[in-house]
Amino acid sequence: MSPITWFAIYLTIWWTVLFAVLPLGSRSFHELGITPPPGADPGAPVNPNLKRKFITTTWVSAVVFALFFAIVHFHLVTLPDLPAAI
């Protein structure tokens, strides 16, 4: 596969992991009993920690991608074997 294909696969994994990581550790104004500032949603996180979540998403995605790459590169599972593997 071309490097562009591998990069597209990594980005797909990254975005999927991001949506799994985003809600972790988030506490809303409502949960903490804090009155939100005017115009803010009570369900919005008080401190979203986006930098930490992006870093976590990047290393988790790298691990998942490495596993995927190893499976494809070493032919541990081939396309004809997929229906039998599931």
Side-chain angles (χ1 to χ4, degrees), residues 23-78:
L24 299 177
S26 294
R27 305 285 300 207
S28 68
F29 288 102
H30 179 72
E31 289 174 331
L32 296 175
I34 300 172
T35 304
D41 190 301
V46 175
N47 185 8
N49 294 321
L50 290 179
K51 183 177 180 180
R52 181 173 182 228
K53 290 181 182 186
F54 283 175
I55 291 169
T56 301
T57 298
T58 301
W59 71 260
V60 170
S61 298
V63 170
V64 171
F65 178 77
L67 290 171
F68 177 78
F69 180 82
I71 290 169
V72 171
H73 182 72
F74 296 114
H75 304 288
L76 299 176
V77 176
T78 59

Side-chain angles (χ1 to χ4, degrees), residues 1-13 65 68-70 72-73:
M1 281 194 243
S2 73
I4 294 173
T5 304
W6 287 115
F7 183 69
I9 291 170
Y10 177 77
L11 279 180
T12 304
I13 292 170
F65 178 77
F68 177 78
F69 180 82
V72 171
H73 182 72

